[in-house]
Amino acid sequence: MEEKSYKEQLMESTDINQDELILQQQRRIEMEISESIALVGEKESIKCLEREYSEDEVYLSKAKALEQKYSYIRRTRPDGNCFFRAFSYAYLEKLIGNKDEYKKFRELALKSKDSLVALGFPQFTVEDFHDTFMDVIDKVGGDAESSYIELHKLFNEQGCSDYIVVYLRLITSGQLRREADFYQHFIEGERTVSEFCRQEVEPMYKESDHIHIIAMSTALGTGVRVRYMDRGAGTEVTAHDFPEGATPAVHLLYRPGHYDILYP
């Protein structure tokens, strides 16, 4: 087999460097766009999707179908954490004014730290994130009107908001590890559940898929309905409930690579 000339090697090296430069530029552009969008936005009329897709017949028909079931949408920043951020915001918002459900969830959240430590997660790390998580839960448990304002404020403070996301990622990882035999069937390739958790669940900015949603909703005992808006046939925006058969407390809209909050 002929050895490549120095010139050919140099050209290949230049191509690789050029590709890397393009990727870096793309990441910078994505970061700038992402940072210009609120972590969690204000409520908007669901009709805003009609304007967004006014020149796209497939998505426009689906936006109109969505209007028959939902009144509002709340956007989240497209940073890979959008599922966890959208879910936690929507669920805590749902608990405001619902004393029984709030109390039940608070007790579950309180005990979750010991469950994670028992699974082998470092106590010091878990405690740090758990403290912030409980602090947020406590702050939205009071007077209804002030709780809504406080929730929105806390979720748009980067540090606090990211701590909530990290803790939910740990809870999800804990559930996957706890029932590894069951979840192993959902993982493609040769990876173990532990490897999958370390690579795809625990790190920030990693996007979420069905396995993340099933594990987290099961761990928290909370139903989630995800509406999938894509280019599939028909005008219906397909709904999937997690865990299967659960009554949804949270409704999310999924568009390729991103989750936002929906309000029936």
Side-chain angles (χ1 to χ4, degrees):
M1 194 171 172
E2 262 184 60
E3 282 192 25
K4 291 180 181 175
S5 69
Y6 175 72
K7 185 179 178 183
E8 286 173 324
Q9 290 175 28
L10 185 62
M11 288 296 289
E12 281 189 4
S13 173
T14 305
D15 287 343
I16 291 165
N17 289 340
Q18 190 64 29
D19 287 346
E20 185 56 37
L21 286 171
I22 291 166
L23 274 172
Q24 285 176 8
Q25 185 183 22
Q26 203 172 324
R27 286 191 201 106
R28 278 198 300 272
I29 291 166
E30 285 171 358
M31 189 63 77
E32 283 169 15
I33 292 169
S34 177
E35 286 175 353
S36 69
I37 298 168
L39 289 166
V40 181
E42 301 289 346
K43 254 187 186 181
E44 298 175 62
S45 166
I46 195 73
K47 285 190 173 291
C48 68
L49 294 177
E50 272 194 58
R51 295 190 292 276
E52 194 173 323
Y53 297 118
S54 60
E55 295 179 14
D56 186 322
E57 285 185 22
V58 175
Y59 273 95
L60 180 60
S61 64
K62 296 196 173 190
K64 287 179 177 176
L66 211 57
E67 286 172 19
Q68 305 306 309
K69 298 177 176 70
Y70 297 92
S71 303
Y72 298 97
I73 182 171
R74 191 188 293 274
R75 300 172 194 266
T76 61
R77 182 180 290 178
D79 61 359
N81 296 316
C82 53
F83 165 69
F84 289 104
R85 211 178 311 270
F87 168 84
S88 49
Y89 186 104
Y91 188 50
L92 287 172
E93 186 180 30
K94 182 95 175 169
L95 291 179
I96 293 172
N98 187 338
K99 288 185 179 177
D100 290 341
E101 280 301 308
Y102 173 84
K103 188 180 175 186
K104 184 176 154 188
F105 178 69
R106 191 185 180 285
E107 285 173 6
L108 187 151
L110 199 58
K111 293 173 185 171
S112 62
K113 178 188 74 175
D114 292 338
S115 298
L116 290 173
V117 172
L119 284 166
F121 288 91
Q123 183 162 350
F124 179 77
T125 307
V126 170
E127 275 182 353
D128 199 17
F129 294 113
H130 181 256
D131 286 348
T132 300
F133 192 60
M134 292 309 301
D135 191 39
V136 171
I137 291 171
D138 288 341
K139 281 181 177 174
V140 300
D143 171 68
E145 191 175 341
S146 63
S147 292
Y148 287 117
I149 295 166
E150 189 69 16
L151 178 72
H152 198 70
K153 178 179 154 231
L154 291 169
F155 267 79
N156 279 291
E157 288 174 5
Q158 185 89 49
C160 178
S161 198
D162 284 353
Y163 263 48
I164 294 165
V165 170
V166 170
Y167 195 68
L168 283 178
R169 285 182 176 277
L170 292 177
I171 284 176
T172 304
S173 177
Q175 179 65 20
L176 289 166
R177 292 168 187 271
R178 196 176 292 112
E179 297 186 14
D181 290 345
F182 170 72
Y183 289 108
Q184 185 66 59
H185 303 297
F186 294 88
I187 297 170
E188 293 177 0
E190 301 298 316
R191 287 186 288 187
T192 65
V193 168
S194 293
E195 287 168 340
F196 179 81
C197 288
R198 283 196 302 271
Q199 295 163 10
E200 306 294 339
V201 182
E202 292 162 20
M204 289 288 277
Y205 312 113
K206 284 285 189 175
E207 291 184 6
S208 302
D209 208 340
H210 281 194
I211 188 170
H212 299 72
I213 307 174
I214 295 165
M216 196 207 62
S217 57
T218 301
L220 297 179
T222 308
V224 184
R225 175 166 293 170
V226 180
R227 291 272 175 186
Y228 289 87
M229 196 170 180
D230 54 27
R231 294 198 172 275
T235 58
E236 189 56 42
V237 185
T238 310
H240 285 290
D241 291 346
F242 304 94
E244 196 174 333
T247 302
V250 168
H251 294 252
L252 302 178
L253 174 63
Y254 176 83
R255 287 173 283 178
H258 185 62
Y259 296 86
D260 288 313
I261 303 167
L262 288 172
Y263 295 85

